[in-house]
Amino acid sequence: MTSLKIGDNAPQFEAKDNAGNIVKLSDYVGKKLVLFFYPKASTPGCTNEACDLRDNYQSFLAKGYAILGASADSAKRQQNWIDKHGLPFPLLADEDKVVINAFNVWGPKKFMGKEYDGIHRTTFVIDEKGVIEDIILKVKTKAHAAQILG
């Protein structure tokens, strides 16, 4: 779905997270960033994905990774999801789809025979200099950490 490729500079972005903080790509210079886009907080597949990342969070930290999630959900919905599942990383409340569109993960989808526009579940691994080093298009929600950490 996305037109970005491995080796491209990640799009610069600025958006509010679940707590109302402004988060920018430049905040992560010097760290590796796992930026995962998911369709909707509190849905089964997204919860499996986020909880798998949560359960492996210490492994990500030990390897120098920060984790940031993003969807078009409101800050309140994101915060409720964090509280319910003890998610240790921030979630962008990208209601205006600024970051979603910058990474080109919004588009036509099919579910149970119906077509609609939505977020394509996609994860970008961005290096310390802001360069995309991996793009995961076929996310395994229950084993996503293993896909990223190898």
Side-chain angles (χ1 to χ4, degrees), residues 12 14 35-36 48-49 77 95-96 118 128 131 142:
Q12 294 296 321
E14 183 175 304
L35 176 57
F36 71 104
N48 287 338
E49 179 181 9
R77 186 175 175 105
E95 293 181 274
D96 296 332
E128 299 88 343
V131 175
K142 292 182 180 176

Side-chain angles (χ1 to χ4, degrees), residues 2-135:
T2 185
S3 56
L4 294 168
K5 298 181 291 308
I6 292 171
D8 286 352
N9 286 324
Q12 294 296 321
F13 65 81
E14 183 175 304
K16 284 191 177 175
D17 71 6
N18 51 283
N21 300 311
I22 299 291
V23 178
K24 298 180 271 202
L25 179 62
S26 59
D27 296 340
Y28 295 95
V29 171
K31 295 179 193 153
K32 292 182 183 183
L33 175 63
V34 173
L35 176 57
F36 71 104
F37 290 91
Y38 53 92
K40 195 161 191 64
S42 296
T43 57
C46 296
T47 298
N48 287 338
E49 179 181 9
C51 289
D52 182 59
L53 296 174
R54 174 203 65 202
D55 293 347
N56 291 281
Y57 190 58
Q58 292 307 317
S59 297
F60 282 102
L61 292 180
K63 293 188 175 192
Y65 287 94
I67 298 177
L68 180 63
S71 76
D73 292 307
S74 69
K76 184 175 193 284
R77 186 175 175 105
Q78 303 284 41
Q79 188 61 55
N80 288 343
W81 197 39
I82 286 171
D83 293 344
K84 183 173 182 182
H85 296 285
L87 304 179
F89 38 79
L91 302 173
L92 296 181
D94 192 21
E95 293 181 274
D96 296 332
K97 301 182 190 75
V98 174
V99 182
I100 290 163
N101 288 328
F103 281 82
N104 199 18
V105 295
W106 182 266
K109 297 174 74 170
K110 266 189 183 169
F111 183 69
M112 296 180 71
K114 291 189 176 166
E115 282 199 32
Y116 61 97
D117 282 345
I119 296 174
H120 288 256
R121 188 184 309 278
T122 310
T123 296
F124 295 86
V125 180
I126 302 166
D127 75 9
E128 299 88 343
K129 295 179 182 160
V131 175
I132 297 170
E133 64 179 32
D134 197 8
I135 302 170

